[in-house]
Amino acid sequence: MRVTWVQPEDVLPHELIASREEGRDVDDIERRWHAADGAPQPPVGGASSPPATPELRRLAVRLLDELEARPVPDSADEPDALTDIERTWPEGVWDPAVPDDLGDRIHGAWLGRAVGCLLGKPVEKVPRAGIREILQATGRWPLSFYFTAEGLPEEVSARWPWNRASRPTSLVENIDGMPEDDDLNYPIIALAVLEAYGPDFTTDDVAKVWLDLLPGGRVFTAERVAYRNLLAGLEPPATARIRNPYRQWIGAQIRTELYGWTNPGRPDRAARQAYTDARLSHVRNGVYGALYAAALGSAAMVADDIDTVLDTAAAYVPPGSRFADAVRFARNAAASYPDWERVVDAIEARYQDLHWVHVLGNAALLTAALAHARGDFVQSICNVVSGGWDTDSTGATVGAVAGALCGATALPADWTGPLHNRLATSIPGFARTDGVRFDELATRTLKVLR
């Protein structure tokens, strides 16, 4: 058995790309790798490269060691230290009144996150063109409800296969509660961290909760590498860098919204907690995604409109970073084109060379989806999922923000009904044979906050 995402011959091609992003000169290493018949392109998704010979694997290890020994150039626009990031934040504290419906908003965030994730699960990794063809073939374009295989021609199904793990539980004909997903496990993990250690938790506390509660096979990309690094005896922030070419991908962004839900109207506190969590596995733009998601969650608990939510979150990302540029570009595109497809065209053209799990393209897409739909729940999640890339993760984030803005009681019953108020999870303390209830999760979240 070969464990994906961590084999040296799989990691090296991704690391060449990641190192270039950070300004390191890697041309000589790339030439040596290609001269030895190393894979010229990274493996797609979680797939492995063809089995490497012992010699090729040893070369990959040596080249990775050389890369790790090369210093990463400092960047004033993309700082690493929290103190440097905080200098870019707004002066003063935004501390608006907490609304009377806070409990309903938290419940709405949990439900909305599940609905958006569930909508995107069957087409995760399916390109945008494939998503559109599936929908057109089943008479459901533009996207307006969960996917179905009913009426889907065999040739279309063969050309664009559903996500293998999600198909049995996430099509409209077989949904029976919310199936387990890392996009829901991570906010549960964040809740467990707060329940165990309180708001002043450390990165080591997060690492301990991971090792105690998260099965190793349920983490992916940067989180899988960080998990392995912890078991190898490394400590943060080395866990985020060593043999981790996924350190600026989307992983941390999907973990931290709950810190916003438990800091309503205090995006500064939410972002600090998000940083503490994210530095275990990510750096720079990967970390900024976590700050952004936490600030989105914080603002959505108290704001009345999507512009306030997006403005607030953007203020907690270093303004000169590529992440901040992606957010600005997305909002400009959303404002420029009434047709959503033209918005996605613009984002796709700008970020199509990045991996489909990279944080920048996905952050741009989810920002544009929220801005273009003006906070409408259904339109927001359908926008972002029809745009492709990491559909379950962006669907989850968008669903949580829009779900918090409208609250659980206002969410459409045809979308929430199939969840049956239960979420499957393997996280100890939450795992039950019939699933943990969403209203219970909301109550536990509110208790931690107070």
Side-chain angles (χ1 to χ4, degrees):
M1 182 184 73
R2 300 183 72 231
V3 179
T4 56
W5 301 115
V6 295
Q7 301 294 349
E9 64 273 18
D10 297 339
V11 169
L12 181 61
H14 284 297
E15 180 56 50
L16 292 168
I17 296 171
S19 290
R20 280 201 177 95
E21 279 191 67
E22 295 173 337
R24 289 194 275 190
D25 183 0
V26 299
D27 289 351
D28 60 321
I29 289 179
E30 185 173 55
R31 284 193 296 270
R32 289 161 61 191
W33 177 243
H34 291 173
D37 293 328
Q41 296 294 328
V44 177
S48 297
S49 302
T53 63
E55 294 77 15
L56 191 62
R57 177 167 290 184
R58 284 193 292 269
L59 175 62
V61 170
R62 289 198 302 273
L63 296 178
L64 285 167
D65 287 341
E66 288 186 36
L67 280 170
E68 286 161 10
R70 296 183 180 185
V72 178
D74 291 333
S75 172
D77 289 333
E78 296 187 352
D80 287 299
L82 178 60
T83 52
D84 294 330
I85 295 171
E86 286 179 326
R87 292 191 186 100
T88 71
W89 291 357
E91 294 183 4
V93 173
W94 183 52
D95 195 11
V98 175
D100 295 336
D101 65 347
L102 179 62
D104 190 52
R105 290 193 184 214
I106 291 173
H107 192 188
W110 275 110
L111 285 173
R113 187 169 185 82
V115 168
C117 177
L118 186 55
L119 177 63
K121 277 176 73 66
V123 291
E124 183 186 12
K125 290 196 293 187
V126 176
R128 177 186 172 204
I131 293 172
R132 180 165 186 159
E133 186 174 357
I134 289 169
L135 290 168
Q136 289 176 329
T138 53
R140 289 177 172 238
W141 178 262
L143 179 63
S144 60
F145 199 53
Y146 295 117
F147 287 85
T148 182
E150 294 179 357
L152 184 64
E154 290 185 8
E155 64 271 17
V156 177
S157 179
R159 187 158 47 248
W160 309 112
W162 304 108
N163 180 284
R164 183 177 56 188
S166 300
R167 177 178 181 172
T169 56
S170 57
L171 299 177
V172 69
E173 53 268 24
N174 57 34
I175 296 171
D176 185 19
M178 179 64 200
E180 183 164 13
D181 191 273
D182 58 339
D183 291 285
L184 275 299
N185 275 344
Y186 280 124
I188 289 176
I189 288 292
L191 179 56
V193 168
L194 291 172
E195 288 180 336
Y197 297 103
D200 297 321
F201 65 88
T202 67
T203 307
D204 286 349
D205 296 331
V206 177
K208 187 175 189 308
V209 170
W210 279 25
L211 295 176
D212 287 346
L213 303 184
L214 263 178
R218 299 291 175 85
V219 293
F220 310 96
T221 65
E223 284 74 19
R224 179 168 292 180
V225 174
Y227 200 108
R228 179 208 59 193
N229 285 343
L230 287 169
L231 294 176
L234 298 176
E235 298 181 359
T239 49
R241 278 209 167 270
I242 302 300
R243 303 281 171 86
N244 188 1
Y246 324 114
R247 55 190 175 267
Q248 298 198 59
W249 287 16
I250 201 175
Q253 184 171 274
I254 74 175
R255 301 203 312 254
T256 58
E257 263 181 83
L258 184 129
Y259 302 129
W261 306 347
T262 56
N263 286 289
R266 288 300 303 267
D268 54 324
R269 291 178 180 168
R272 288 189 188 97
Q273 290 179 347
Y275 178 89
T276 301
D277 186 313
R279 68 188 289 268
L280 177 59
S281 56
H282 286 73
V283 304
R284 297 192 181 177
N285 293 281
V287 170
Y288 308 155
L291 309 185
Y292 187 64
L296 283 173
S298 175
M301 288 296 136
V302 298
D304 294 322
D305 64 276
I306 193 61
D307 284 330
T308 299
V309 174
L310 293 172
D311 288 344
T312 300
Y316 288 85
V317 175
S321 66
R322 288 173 295 147
F323 192 100
D325 179 68
V327 169
R328 287 190 296 266
F329 178 83
R331 292 187 72 181
N332 287 336
S336 300
Y337 304 117
D339 180 6
W340 171 244
E341 288 301 298
R342 292 196 64 189
V343 178
V344 185
D345 286 342
I347 294 171
E348 193 174 70
R350 188 178 178 95
Y351 295 107
Q352 62 185 342
D353 292 336
L354 296 178
H355 193 279
W356 64 271
V357 190
H358 199 287
V359 74
L360 294 182
N362 284 289
L365 188 61
L366 74 86
T367 298
L370 287 165
H372 200 267
R374 310 307 307 151
D376 178 88
F377 177 77
V378 173
Q379 192 60 53
S380 295
I381 60 174
C382 289
N383 275 357
V384 76
V385 169
S386 66
W389 290 332
D390 197 354
T391 49
D392 63 332
S393 295
T394 55
T397 298
V398 167
V401 172
L405 279 175
C406 66
T409 55
L411 287 174
D414 55 337
W415 285 88
T416 60
L419 301 182
H420 303 309
N421 192 32
R422 66 173 185 263
L423 164 65
T425 181
S426 57
I427 305 299
F430 298 85
R432 300 186 187 131
T433 55
D434 60 344
V436 63
R437 299 192 317 274
F438 285 102
D439 55 355
E440 178 191 344
L441 289 170
T443 298
R444 289 174 70 162
T445 305
L446 193 62
K447 184 178 180 180
V448 163
L449 184 157
R450 289 175 172 166

